[in-house]
Amino acid sequence: MASPARSSLRGREAETRSPSREETVLGIIATARAKRPKFRDERITMAHGAGGKATAGLIEGLLVPAFASPALDVLGDAGVLTVDGTGLALTTDAFVVTPLRFPGGSIGELAVNGTVNDLAMAGARPQALSLSLILEEGLEAEVLRAEVEAIAGAARDAGVAIVTGDTKVVERGHADQMYVTTAGVGRVDARASLSPAALRPGDHLLLSGPVGRHGTAIMLARGEFELGAEVASDTRSLWPAADALLDAAGPGLRCLRDATRGGVASALNELARASGVAMLVREEAVPVDAVVAGAAEILGIDPMQVANEGVLVAAVAPQHADAALAALRGAPGCADAAVVGEVRTDPAGLVIVETAFGGKRVMDQLVGDPLPRIC
Amino acid sequence: MRFVDEFREAELGRTLAREILAAVEPGRHYKLMEVCGGHTHSIYKYGINDLLPENVELVHGPGCPVCVIPMGRVDDAIAIAHEDGVVFTCFGDMMRVPGSNGTLQEAKAAGADVRMVYSPLDALRIAKQHPEREVVFFAIGFETTAPSTALTLRRARAEGVENFSVFCNHVNIVPPLRALMDSPDLRLDGFLGPGHVSTVVGARPLEFIPAQYGKPVVVSGFEPVDILQSVLMLLRQLAEGRCEVENQYTRVVPYEGNLRALEVMAEVFELRPHFEWRGLGFISHSGLKLSAAYAEHDAELRHHVPGVRVADPKACQCGEVLKGVIKPYECKVFGSACTPERPIGTCMVSSEGACAAYYNYGRFAREREVV
């Protein structure tokens, strides 16, 4: 039987029921969001490849616990290790994009730039790549030759050598034309001390260019939507941008992220979770091309969740932000770079958007998969 | 974007917010229902509640196409998808709606050929590219999407695409609204009427709401400025003691509707005697099926459909959410057992679902902007 004290408490609860219930539930959600995701699925679905919540569950719930190591636990774009006093960054990436060629690039360029960018985000100057090809029986030699040339060209542009490789062929139907895997090694730059743990409230968030171009370019190239528009992928090496930021901000550059699958939303959410801070993004400040915004509007997706292949997010100490922005704008492809928000203390682990309309909301990671096989 | 940005202008929003504040009667509580999921989505996406006075409460209505699909229909869809030779096509949101034993996305991972499409015409194109396969389109939605399904079927028949069929789950908006009005557990002051549905059916079918139930209706667009303006129009009707159907969304909604769309719908569809709604139960004359003339394209006739009625999960209160009786966060499983990643109820799946909108965009702080 309820004691009198308890029943009077109930009475009070009943009076203020909805706000307190709402607050409690929002609290539960906030806690759940800030937690490391779990992997509880019975089968792999396409959502596990989309760079959103299911991907995070797979990586942080299955892979990281299995291979636990200090370099991996950081969950950076590349793993950093020290060999005889030299900081080395190591990364690997597989590419399964369809179609192989699209406006602005092809699988070959993605395979080089994607890996180079993962190194650059660790503050490492890319040195060398490995290249592994999985080819489908029947692939036309011309298609392969074009991609090999694209790989060579992109490697030249990025200043990296391809120093080793492997090829495999599988039966027709067991792969879709060709898959490319690259691994890269880079030397961590002496100016760099990058880590999500370095983020401080008040740090400014810089975005290197307009968001959502790669994902939109692929979507339009597939011809699934009859939109009379063309968008070029933004695939490019981000090392020059990282180099410029390191020069301008030095130790004031806290952290870099490559906003690939899952878009800027995933990059910021990962950072917020890893560093236990909050991020505030001003929607109006985020550069979006009109065509990308239009396509996203029609399809009901958020450009912030659409993939990029040449956009980075940088957190910079406030006193270095102006210099960093100026330097970033001088890097190739980064003329539209902007300060889009700042690091806050509360609510820890979450990304908040201030909408252009004046309201605020949480910007979450993608759930499900609007567009498979984009890189 | 022209024709879009104008309706998202912050200054205009603040002006409307001030006018709304001036239009409310102090001490009176206003409970207004936004009928469409699209409204719900916008309200959360732009933080519109932050611009409304404390005593103006927006309640979510039943107009989310994904949310109203009962579990049994999802099970039927999965059964069709697993049949040999079938390519099962659906909108992206439907991939994640749980049936009694998993989702279409899981059926796909288990071997069914399930493909996401953006329009029924995409499904028809797949059928033409693969004449050896049976292509089925999972048609859902209110009068908004029904015309595009109807036109696709008309084209399929004209072009003799025999391997194309539609699993029809189209529904009408008026019957659930009527059911809602008759429901004793709800007291509403007015309605933000369905904008997109009204582009097809017009505003006239909503006249029963003021005429028979004495509640004002304003057909509303989906941009934040549209919604604020519609709220203001409702409040003014209430203040002036008027009770009628007004049209805020005049840039796309003709009062009489779209006669050509209605004509093609009448040719392709006919009313089902009953259709089950998630959480609302069976509602008479609320669902559409293919007419006899299109029987050869009816997936329910061409494929084995178990048609088992599955009770909604006990813990799930989607029905109450769809009727606006409770707020999403008042549901027992909201945010704990039921999340967008692991939805129990449909309202948590679609971005137009009240629960998903609240979960994704829910305000982290409750302080209201002082207007």
Side-chain angles (χ1 to χ4, degrees):
Chain A
M1 228 168 86
S3 72
R6 219 170 129 194
S7 57
S8 79
L9 182 69
R10 282 237 179 93
R12 248 202 332 273
E13 259 179 16
E15 276 166 36
T16 56
R17 182 167 150 269
S18 30
S20 73
R21 164 82 183 151
E22 183 176 16
E23 271 157 25
T24 315
V25 170
L26 286 175
I28 292 170
I29 293 174
T31 316
R33 271 185 162 140
K35 264 194 202 153
R36 282 211 161 176
K38 294 194 178 96
F39 180 69
R40 294 182 299 189
D41 308 282
E42 276 175 32
R43 283 173 193 271
I44 291 302
T45 67
M46 294 308 284
H48 292 104
K53 290 205 172 178
T55 310
L58 175 63
I59 293 173
E60 296 174 44
L62 178 67
L63 303 179
V64 172
F67 308 131
S69 79
L72 182 62
D73 290 348
V74 178
L75 289 176
D77 286 321
V80 174
L81 29 145
T82 309
V83 180
D84 293 340
T86 305
L88 292 179
L90 180 65
T91 191
T92 184
D93 223 334
F95 296 85
V96 298
V97 66
T98 177
L100 295 180
R101 301 194 82 84
F102 42 85
S106 72
I107 192 170
E109 280 156 66
L110 284 186
V112 172
N113 292 335
T115 296
V116 161
N117 291 349
D118 285 346
L119 295 173
M121 295 307 104
R125 185 183 292 274
Q127 304 287 326
L129 300 186
S130 76
L131 171 72
S132 148
L133 299 172
I134 294 172
L135 308 175
E136 184 190 12
E137 176 186 26
L139 177 70
E140 287 169 35
E142 265 321 297
V143 173
L144 177 59
R145 187 168 285 123
E147 289 317 312
V148 169
E149 279 164 17
I151 290 167
R156 229 175 8 250
D157 291 346
V160 290
I162 290 169
V163 296
T164 183
D166 180 48
T167 52
K168 297 281 191 302
V169 178
V170 297
E171 297 90 338
R172 187 187 289 275
H174 288 227
D176 186 1
Q177 299 190 78
M178 64 186 291
Y179 302 145
V180 184
T181 304
T182 51
V185 65
R187 182 199 287 262
V188 178
D189 196 281
R191 297 163 292 176
S193 55
L194 307 179
S195 151
L199 292 187
R200 295 286 171 271
D203 285 353
H204 289 225
L205 296 171
L206 274 61
L207 198 61
S208 70
V211 299
R213 290 196 348 213
H214 178 72
T216 310
I218 298 290
M219 203 149 55
L220 296 179
R222 286 187 192 160
E224 286 169 11
F225 317 105
E226 281 145 24
L227 299 181
E230 199 170 271
V231 180
S233 165
D234 55 359
T235 175
R236 70 168 65 251
S237 162
L238 284 170
W239 171 249
D243 195 19
L245 283 169
L246 285 168
D247 239 14
L253 180 61
R254 315 280 202 199
C255 192
L256 292 173
R257 273 290 152 129
D258 190 7
T260 53
R261 276 175 310 174
V264 174
S266 269
L268 289 177
N269 271 287
E270 284 165 17
L271 271 185
R273 250 204 338 266
S275 56
V277 296
M279 309 267 183
L280 181 83
V281 175
R282 278 177 291 276
E283 201 171 43
E284 263 177 321
V286 175
V288 189
D289 289 349
V291 181
V292 172
E297 183 71 30
I298 289 168
L299 302 174
I301 50 183
D302 184 346
M304 298 289 268
Q305 294 182 330
V306 179
N308 312 283
E309 286 293 333
V311 170
L312 63 76
V313 176
V316 182
Q319 64 273 27
H320 295 284
D322 291 342
L325 181 63
L328 185 56
R329 284 187 172 158
C334 300
D336 296 329
V339 174
V340 296
E342 63 192 45
V343 176
R344 295 267 178 102
T345 319
D346 240 15
L350 291 191
V351 182
I352 306 299
V353 179
E354 209 174 87
T355 74
F357 200 64
K360 280 185 188 171
R361 63 175 156 90
V362 172
M363 179 166 78
D364 208 353
Q365 272 176 286
L366 196 64
V367 176
D369 186 8
L371 187 69
R373 291 183 59 194
I374 51 173
C375 63
Chain B
M1 273 163 287
R2 285 185 62 206
F3 310 121
V4 172
D5 292 344
E6 297 87 324
F7 298 96
R8 293 182 186 166
E9 219 182 277
E11 189 42 51
L12 203 49
R14 279 190 289 272
T15 307
L16 282 166
R18 277 191 295 271
E19 288 182 48
I20 286 172
L21 195 60
V24 295
E25 201 178 299
R28 175 168 179 188
H29 188 85
Y30 298 87
K31 212 168 170 182
L32 310 176
M33 174 175 273
E34 83 269 7
V35 170
C36 286
H39 293 143
T40 308
H41 182 74
S42 270
I43 287 164
Y44 284 111
K45 184 173 174 193
Y46 296 99
I48 289 174
N49 274 321
D50 293 346
L51 296 171
L52 293 178
E54 199 76 54
N55 55 334
V56 175
E57 184 188 353
L58 293 176
V59 180
H60 320 303
C64 160
V66 171
C67 305
V68 302
I69 301 290
M71 282 182 115
R73 298 295 282 185
V74 177
D75 289 350
D76 291 346
I78 291 172
I80 297 174
H82 274 303
E83 273 183 39
D84 279 345
V86 164
V87 178
F88 195 84
T89 59
C90 64
F91 296 137
D93 276 348
M94 286 312 295
M95 303 271 283
R96 298 191 298 115
V97 176
S100 63
N101 191 16
T103 64
L104 280 162
Q105 188 170 47
E106 284 157 0
K108 177 172 189 263
D113 191 346
V114 181
R115 302 186 195 179
M116 185 177 86
V117 292
Y118 284 84
S119 107
L121 282 172
D122 293 343
L124 181 62
R125 192 171 58 204
I126 294 171
K128 287 198 274 194
Q129 284 162 352
H130 299 281
E132 76 289 357
R133 306 283 298 272
E134 278 284 324
V135 177
V136 181
F137 175 66
F138 193 172
I140 62 157
F142 291 88
E143 290 91 337
T144 328
T145 50
S148 68
T149 303
L151 283 171
T152 305
L153 280 164
R154 197 189 247 179
R155 187 187 287 190
R157 200 171 66 163
E159 296 179 2
V161 188
E162 285 170 10
N163 61 327
F164 176 75
S165 62
V166 167
F167 179 46
C168 185
N169 293 274
H170 284 300
V171 284
N172 293 330
I173 190 73
V174 167
L177 284 180
R178 203 178 273 278
L180 210 70
M181 304 287 212
D182 291 332
S183 148
D185 37 358
L186 193 65
R187 196 194 64 81
L188 291 167
D189 296 292
F191 289 84
L192 297 182
H196 289 151
V197 164
S198 300
T199 61
V200 176
V201 300
R204 195 174 296 284
L206 300 171
E207 283 174 353
F208 77 96
I209 300 177
Q212 294 171 28
Y213 295 91
K215 306 290 179 194
V217 179
V218 174
V219 175
S220 172
F222 296 87
E223 297 301 336
V225 166
D226 289 324
I227 292 172
L228 286 175
Q229 194 188 8
S230 301
V231 167
L232 181 60
M233 287 166 78
L234 275 178
L235 293 173
R236 287 202 172 137
Q237 282 204 37
L238 291 168
E240 294 161 15
R242 284 183 293 127
C243 181
E244 53 201 62
V245 176
E246 285 184 301
N247 185 5
Q248 180 275 336
Y249 205 26
T250 46
R251 64 187 187 276
V252 288
V253 175
Y255 203 85
E256 299 298 330
N258 180 334
L259 296 178
R260 286 181 58 198
L262 292 171
E263 198 181 275
V264 65
M265 280 170 65
E267 173 193 322
V268 174
F269 300 119
E270 62 187 42
L271 277 178
R272 293 176 194 265
H274 303 286
F275 192 73
E276 189 192 355
W277 292 59
R278 174 112 191 182
L280 305 178
F282 283 90
I283 301 178
S284 300
H285 298 121
S286 64
L288 300 173
K289 64 175 190 143
L290 302 199
S291 63
Y294 285 84
E296 59 185 307
H297 294 290
D298 190 342
E300 286 173 79
L301 302 175
R302 281 168 72 131
H303 297 275
H304 175 69
V305 176
V308 177
R309 184 173 181 251
V310 182
D312 294 332
K314 274 210 186 74
C316 171
Q317 294 179 282
C318 277
E320 277 110 312
V321 172
L322 285 169
K323 283 190 283 192
V325 175
I326 63 167
K327 296 274 188 187
Y329 56 82
E330 289 172 317
C331 170
K332 291 189 284 290
V333 290
F334 176 84
S336 47
C338 184
T339 62
E341 302 89 82
R342 254 160 228 291
I344 293 177
T346 42
C347 296
M348 190 57 103
V349 176
S350 165
S351 62
E352 294 191 353
C355 295
Y358 193 83
Y359 188 98
N360 285 324
Y361 300 130
R363 284 157 296 155
F364 55 94
R366 289 193 43 79
E367 75 266 27
R368 287 198 174 204
E369 198 177 317
V370 182
V371 263

